[in-house]
Amino acid sequence: MTQPHPLYIVASPRPRVGKTLVARLLIEFFHASDRPLIGYDLNPREPTLAGRFPHLVWPVDITETLGQMELFDRLIVDNTRTQIVDLGYAPFEQFFGVLDEIGFIPEARRRFIEPIVLFVTDPAPATISTYAALRRRLPGATFVPVHNESVSLVFEKEDFPATRSECSVIHIPRLSPIVRGVIDRPSFSFSAYMTAQPGGPTEVHQWIARIFTAFRDLELRLLMGRLTSSYGGPAPAQQYRDVR
Amino acid sequence: MAKPTVVVVGADKGGVGKTTVARTVLDYFTAHHVPARAFDSESPKGTLKRFHPDVTDIVDATSVSDQMRIFDTLTDASVTVIDVRAGLLSPTLRSLRDIGFLDSVKKGQITFVVFHILGSSIASLNEIEDTAAFTGDASYFLVKNFINNTSFFEWDQATHSSYFKKKDAAAITIPKLNEMAFEQVELASVPFLTFVANKGPKGETANYSFVLRGYVRHWLGNVWGEYDRIKLNDIVATAAPPQQQQQATGASGARVQVVSRS
């Protein structure tokens, strides 16, 4: 069975909820295990992720058609690497509008690319309704909510139902302000820190380990879901219909 | 098919997108397996022929010999699409009356469809008056073509509505297509359907942008949604032989079928 390559889209309609942090953690998680990957930074005014990983992440402005071609024409042909999109809140609507209009998701699935939307949540009613609308609009994508405890301590599971029950939510634990200052340094690398201090008992170590474990768990659950489908279990498409 | 069908696409004004509409109509018939031929009256150099060379002949609609080429060869087996050169819609309709074509339409021997492409000015509304005398027995459609971002009569909605109501004509809206996508199809010189299927003029695999193909597929789906709404396929009423085909679906739900050509 050919395993699809994941395309992670880290998204939220709101600013400053930790999208770039989640994208950064994902990149370091995959990079640490030497897996081929490429990232796209869709924050044209402030391409922080591209600045941090200049050899792995490309800044793209999708305001114009040329930028859309630069992004989507690459995403659709690249089924050999894990792809990560850090979707800024400004191009949020346009990104999903184009994605839907050009029929990206069904074609991506046909080409063994699995779109996974890591939706960074917050308790605003507009965000909750946007999440629901997006799921209805893109039934072929896998939605996994991400709860960043630095944004809100409360997470209502019913507000952000995952596409698959086994991939319910990824929690990003809250960090103390001092430690937060450390990880925000341009030179700080999560994977390098873990390598330099394996098993260390620091707050950062536990924080990274918990998130990397959640990513690994998500990968495993997605794989199990695909295997279940291929062996006659409920197909993902059926599951999408069930939740709609 | 019970009787031959003639589809005239025209306007008295230039630059309103007649040929674009004619191209979408030909693509629609291709997708519905309706055998169609086309005449491009933009003599001597026809744009429609550039996109649909296999089914298109260039004619001078004002010459008797070319009129014979078109109307003496109508058969039950096909639809004839005529892309009328700018400024010649009314004269062409007059010619059709003079040669007895409109009488045959009146007697039910020929199905006659007119797509009247409107420009953005009040002059276009007056054109409707001019053509009305010839289209009484036709399936007559007023086409607002937004493909080049035209705005229609917003400054005088009452006048606009009165014309549409008076003529009891159905309106078709051609939505805007992304400029770069439109430009790339122009450069490729292939039918919209062929562009969507990522094929070149000779059926070879091309390398068009996935994004631009997506825009064209979505747009074409919406245009065909309009043709489905006016029941164009029922008007030409043909039986469709099965062919190998792929299906895609536009956002409107209209089918965009990509016909495989070997």
Side-chain angles (χ1 to χ4, degrees):
Chain A
M1 179 185 173
T2 306
Q3 289 300 324
H5 277 77
L7 160 59
Y8 290 98
I9 301 161
V10 186
S12 164
R14 308 263 289 189
R16 310 202 67 78
V17 291
K19 292 182 290 295
T20 299
L21 175 65
V22 173
R24 180 184 156 198
L25 282 158
L26 264 181
I27 285 173
E28 293 224 26
F29 170 71
F30 288 115
H31 197 46
S33 53
D34 285 332
R35 274 186 280 179
L37 73 102
I38 185 166
Y40 297 95
D41 187 340
L42 271 58
N43 299 273
R45 288 186 184 170
E46 204 180 343
T48 314
L49 196 69
R52 191 176 277 277
F53 304 104
H55 302 296
L56 284 175
V57 178
W58 303 94
V60 185
D61 182 353
I62 62 163
T63 311
E64 302 292 337
T65 309
L66 271 177
Q68 296 163 15
M69 291 163 66
E70 196 182 339
L71 176 69
F72 291 107
D73 283 354
R74 286 185 189 174
L75 291 179
I76 201 69
V77 296
D78 200 343
N79 59 3
T80 58
R81 292 184 284 191
T82 295
Q83 303 183 89
I84 297 164
V85 174
D86 179 17
L87 176 57
Y89 79 97
F92 180 91
E93 275 300 325
Q94 187 171 25
F95 175 87
F96 286 112
V98 174
L99 189 92
D100 188 18
E101 185 167 342
I102 66 176
F104 181 87
I105 286 181
E107 181 63 17
R109 287 198 165 276
R110 201 179 68 77
R111 297 183 185 211
F112 294 102
I113 297 168
E114 182 174 24
I116 301 153
V117 180
L118 296 182
F119 191 98
V120 185
T121 64
D122 68 81
T127 306
I128 295 167
S129 60
T130 300
Y131 181 79
L134 205 56
R135 283 198 56 200
R136 282 194 299 273
R137 190 176 181 185
L138 305 171
T142 298
F143 282 79
V144 180
V146 177
H147 171 219
N148 184 354
E149 290 175 1
S150 297
V151 175
S152 164
L153 284 175
V154 181
F155 176 78
E156 295 291 346
K157 206 172 171 181
E158 296 74 29
D159 290 340
F160 298 98
T163 303
R164 304 181 195 178
S165 54
E166 71 272 19
C167 307
S168 57
V169 61
I170 291 176
H171 290 285
I172 307 292
R174 190 184 180 92
L175 274 174
S176 64
I178 294 173
V179 175
R180 181 65 206 231
V182 172
I183 69 163
D184 282 345
R185 284 180 195 155
S187 59
F188 185 86
S189 160
F190 298 116
S191 48
Y193 185 88
M194 294 292 272
T195 309
Q197 301 187 38
T202 67
E203 181 186 355
V204 179
H205 181 275
Q206 288 172 357
W207 186 80
I208 298 170
R210 188 170 160 190
I211 295 167
F212 279 12
T213 302
F215 288 159
R216 206 169 289 120
D217 196 41
L218 173 64
E219 278 197 299
L220 190 62
R221 287 173 189 278
L222 290 170
L223 175 66
M224 292 300 288
R226 287 193 291 269
L227 289 173
T228 305
S229 305
S230 69
Y231 289 118
Q238 182 60 47
Q239 293 174 348
Y240 303 145
R241 280 195 292 275
D242 289 345
V243 298
R244 287 178 77 191
Chain B
M1 193 184 307
K3 53 188 175 181
T5 301
V6 173
V7 179
V8 164
V9 182
D12 281 330
K13 188 177 179 298
V16 291
K18 293 179 296 298
T19 303
T20 304
V21 173
R23 287 159 57 194
T24 61
V25 169
L26 282 174
D27 278 341
Y28 182 83
F29 288 143
T30 300
H32 286 83
H33 317 297
V34 175
R37 61 179 188 158
F39 292 98
D40 185 344
S41 68
E42 217 177 312
S43 172
K45 194 176 75 174
T47 310
L48 186 62
K49 182 158 179 72
R50 180 156 68 86
F51 292 97
H52 293 269
D54 297 342
V55 298
T56 307
D57 283 327
I58 297 175
V59 292
D60 176 357
T62 60
S63 97
V64 173
S65 62
D66 279 355
Q67 288 172 0
M68 289 165 66
R69 273 177 69 194
I70 302 170
F71 297 107
D72 288 353
T73 55
L74 295 179
T75 66
D76 290 356
S78 73
V79 172
T80 300
V81 177
I82 306 172
D83 180 14
V84 178
R85 183 179 185 165
L88 288 185
L89 179 60
S90 296
T92 300
L93 293 173
R94 200 169 294 118
S95 297
L96 293 181
R97 182 196 59 193
D98 294 346
I99 65 173
F101 174 89
L102 295 183
D103 285 339
S104 298
V105 172
K106 194 178 186 70
K107 289 175 190 164
Q109 295 162 342
I110 298 171
T111 300
F112 186 34
V113 181
V114 177
F115 285 140
H116 186 161
I117 320 298
L118 297 177
S120 57
S121 69
I122 194 76
S124 269
L125 296 178
N126 292 328
E127 286 175 13
I128 301 172
E129 290 275 36
D130 297 340
T131 54
F134 309 109
T135 55
D137 298 303
S139 297
Y140 180 56
F141 301 105
L142 295 170
V143 181
K144 295 182 190 179
N145 186 4
F146 287 89
I147 193 160
N148 45 10
N149 230 0
T150 308
S151 55
F152 285 89
F153 323 115
E154 277 87 359
W155 47 271
D156 191 0
Q157 214 29 261
T159 308
H160 171 236
S161 301
S162 71
Y163 269 88
F164 274 68
K165 195 174 174 185
K166 186 163 55 179
K167 299 304 163 202
D168 197 23
I172 294 173
T173 299
I174 305 291
K176 181 173 166 50
L177 172 62
N178 176 284
E179 291 96 340
M180 193 170 282
F182 186 76
E183 187 181 291
Q184 285 301 307
V185 183
E186 292 285 312
L187 287 172
S189 296
V190 293
F192 291 114
L193 260 184
T194 307
F195 186 83
V196 170
N198 201 26
K199 299 288 183 185
K202 293 174 183 166
E204 73 280 16
T205 299
N207 193 25
Y208 308 132
S209 157
F210 173 75
V211 171
L212 300 185
R213 288 193 289 126
Y215 275 131
V216 174
R217 183 180 54 232
H218 178 82
W219 171 80
L220 198 57
N222 286 337
V223 174
W224 289 0
E226 287 290 275
Y227 297 160
D228 283 345
R229 184 175 59 77
I230 62 164
K231 298 185 166 51
L232 181 59
N233 203 30
D234 292 348
I235 292 170
V236 302
T238 185
Q243 284 186 32
Q244 191 188 356
Q245 64 191 36
Q246 279 179 258
Q247 272 201 2
T249 305
S252 68
R255 302 164 318 285
V256 176
Q257 298 176 327
V258 181
V259 177
S260 301
R261 291 179 178 178
S262 52

